[in-house]
Amino acid sequence: MTALSVNVNKLALLRNSRGHNYPSLEHFATRFLELGVQGITVHPRPDERHVKFADLPALAGIVKNFPGCEFNVEGFPSDDFLQRVIDCQAHQCTLVPDAADQLTSDHGWNLHQHGQWLQPRIARLQEKNIRVSLFLDPDPQQIKLAAATGAERIELYTESYAEAFASSQQAHITEQFCLTAQAAQAAGLGVNAGHDLNLQNLPQFLAIKGVLEVSIGHALMVECIEQGMEHVIRQYLRICAAY
Ligand code: PXP
């Protein structure tokens, strides 16, 4: 079974457009968890244009009311970011090499350059019992370096898979993801995945064995608007349970 962690950034964007606490992230996180998802993800960026750092404690508290579910916080490991993740005692922290003003995450870590720099930052989270995952492109060459950082997991950046889905490139690109996931698993790393996954492309992605968690936000929110939240979440949970 693959865990589904719902990224609520887009709800925060909607909320911030009006200046009141509506829609409430706490309300929707609770609803998603009641429907059976296994986690809530947020990606607070330095300009706080969607999820704000002040949202973290309340969301962490809500997730703790659902045993076995996890709160995952994604972001660039600045000192301030790491302290906020520690303060809210997230279960998992996914480290992403984002620039401050980036529209969305668009590449994984180059661990040849940043592996050593990441090590003490990873250790700081782990000392507080927070699992660390590194956002990576589907490149098996990064895996030895990822294991050397001490991180427990990687998150495969799936935009290229989504882009190639249903095209002549799909088999070739999927093979790269498969090889990277296998290399990670052989190195003792757990494998998560995310970015641009949706109800259409997820089943074939999860044919890659042993994906522990997918975090999905953008398409899932659009699908909820179009099809209704309960119907969408039930479809995702069925897909995730089948692999
Ligand atoms: N993983 C990371 C590191 C991300 O930055 C995002 C987007 O915030 C996602 C996963 C989820 O991507 P999407 O919103 O396209 O489902």
Side-chain angles (χ1 to χ4, degrees):
M1 192 194 101
T2 304
L4 171 64
S5 188
V6 172
N7 179 320
V8 296
N9 267 32
K10 284 286 136 57
L11 289 169
L13 198 63
L14 199 58
R15 175 198 63 187
N16 297 351
S17 70
R18 283 297 179 94
H20 300 289
N21 188 25
Y22 179 80
S24 150
L25 299 192
E26 292 93 329
H27 169 77
F28 275 90
T30 305
R31 290 277 286 123
F32 284 121
L33 290 160
E34 283 171 352
L35 287 170
V37 312
Q38 290 83 12
I40 296 295
T41 289
V42 292
H43 190 149
R45 293 179 187 271
D47 62 7
E48 299 193 307
R49 64 183 182 272
H50 22 58
V51 165
K52 297 177 187 292
F53 285 102
D55 291 320
L56 269 49
L59 289 172
I62 285 165
V63 178
K64 288 201 178 90
N65 291 332
F66 291 81
C69 294
E70 294 197 351
F71 187 44
N72 175 43
V73 183
E74 306 172 338
F76 180 83
S78 65
D79 265 0
D80 182 53
F81 172 84
L82 293 173
Q83 194 54 50
R84 303 287 196 142
V85 176
I86 289 166
D87 288 347
C88 77
Q89 271 299 295
H91 296 89
Q92 176 175 270
C93 182
T94 302
L95 302 182
V96 185
D98 281 348
D101 57 351
Q102 205 155 311
L103 187 61
T104 185
S105 310
D106 66 3
H107 60 282
W109 289 100
N110 177 347
L111 297 174
H112 295 285
Q113 264 179 4
H114 296 120
Q116 282 192 352
W117 180 83
L118 280 167
Q119 274 181 31
R121 290 157 179 84
I122 292 169
R124 186 171 158 194
L125 293 165
Q126 291 171 331
E127 275 161 22
K128 304 293 179 188
N129 295 317
I130 297 169
R131 186 202 304 132
V132 178
S133 180
L134 297 178
F135 195 55
L136 290 187
D137 296 314
D139 175 5
Q141 306 231 349
Q142 295 287 326
I143 294 302
K144 245 196 188 150
L145 299 166
T149 65
E152 290 97 339
R153 292 195 189 182
I154 61 162
E155 180 182 322
L156 290 170
Y157 170 43
T158 47
E159 193 270 344
S160 58
Y161 164 79
E163 185 68 22
F165 183 72
S167 81
S168 59
Q169 290 301 301
Q170 184 179 340
H172 168 67
I173 299 280
T174 305
E175 180 65 9
Q176 287 177 352
F177 279 91
C178 205
L179 290 173
T180 310
Q182 284 169 354
Q185 288 154 350
L189 293 162
V191 175
N192 297 342
H195 221 285
D196 298 295
L197 295 173
N198 61 33
L199 281 172
Q200 264 69 51
N201 64 27
L202 183 62
Q204 287 180 47
F205 186 80
L206 290 184
I208 296 171
K209 296 235 178 317
V211 177
L212 297 173
E213 177 190 284
V214 285
S215 63
I216 308 183
H218 184 78
L220 181 145
M221 295 304 164
V222 176
E223 290 159 341
C224 285
I225 291 169
E226 199 166 14
Q227 303 179 35
M229 183 169 164
E230 286 196 29
H231 181 57
V232 166
I233 296 302
R234 290 199 205 293
Q235 290 176 78
Y236 272 109
L237 291 177
R238 249 197 318 273
I239 295 166
C240 288
Y243 295 95

